[in-house]
């Protein structure tokens, strides 16, 4: 049974890496028009845009993470184009959080290259449970459990 859980964790991580790789490669061809600002009609829609990202690229990446995570991620945000915060769903097992963080860090790096990145993993109750730091010079990920 333990082997089954390990295999499942690896498959989840590999599938997320595959999804992040394929879609981030396709997303690189799409350019966002940053020269024109189209204000929205309501304050709440402007607020929603700021929730996921403080830049258009960051917001798009956070939206994409939530949409393509197949229910593993309930919510996500990007700040300063170097911090990705992710609220996992209850279906993510505790032993799968690290693999998911690694997959997210790899996809985040593809979209925001040449910078040190931080991935903050939150439990479904929005308590911080893991920090993953991607070092762009060594290309290594350091994990720091929280709590």
């Amino acid at each position: 049974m333990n082997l089954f859980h390990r295999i499942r964790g690896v498959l989840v991580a590999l599938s997320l890496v595959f999804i992040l790789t394929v879609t981030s490669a396709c997303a690189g061809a799409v350019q966002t028009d940053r020269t024109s600002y189209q204000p929205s009609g309501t304050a709440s829609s402007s607020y929603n845009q700021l929730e996921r990202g403080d830049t258009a690229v960051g917001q798009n990446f956070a939206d994409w993470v939530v949409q393509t995570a197949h229910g593993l991620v309930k919510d996500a945000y990007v700040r300063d184009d170097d911090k990705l915060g992710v609220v996992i769903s209850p279906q993510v097992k505790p032993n799968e959080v690290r693999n998911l963080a690694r997959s997210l860090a790899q996809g985040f790096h593809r979209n925001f290259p040449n910078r040190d990145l931080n991935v903050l993993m939150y439990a479904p109750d929005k308590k911080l449970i893991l920090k993953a730091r991607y070092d762009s010079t060594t290309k290594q990920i350091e994990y720091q459990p929280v709590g």
Side-chain angles (χ1 to χ4, degrees), residues 101-118:
R102 182 183 61 227
S103 298
L104 290 166
Q106 290 169 344
F108 197 34
H109 167 69
R110 285 184 191 89
N111 284 274
F112 299 92
N114 303 322
R115 52 173 73 208
D116 293 339
L117 303 170
N118 292 292

Side-chain angles (χ1 to χ4, degrees), residues 68-84:
T68 59
H70 301 291
L72 297 176
V73 173
K74 288 180 14 180
D75 201 6
Y77 68 85
V78 174
R79 297 291 182 264
D80 303 323
D81 291 340
D82 68 354
K83 288 178 221 49
L84 171 63

Side-chain angles (χ1 to χ4, degrees), residues 4-15:
F4 173 74
H5 289 291
R6 281 186 175 262
I7 291 172
R8 180 176 176 231
V10 169
L11 289 176
V12 166
L14 290 176
S15 64

Side-chain angles (χ1 to χ4, degrees), residues 46-58:
S46 295
Y47 179 74
N48 287 340
Q49 290 177 353
L50 294 175
E51 284 179 343
R52 288 260 167 99
D54 55 1
T55 66
V57 176

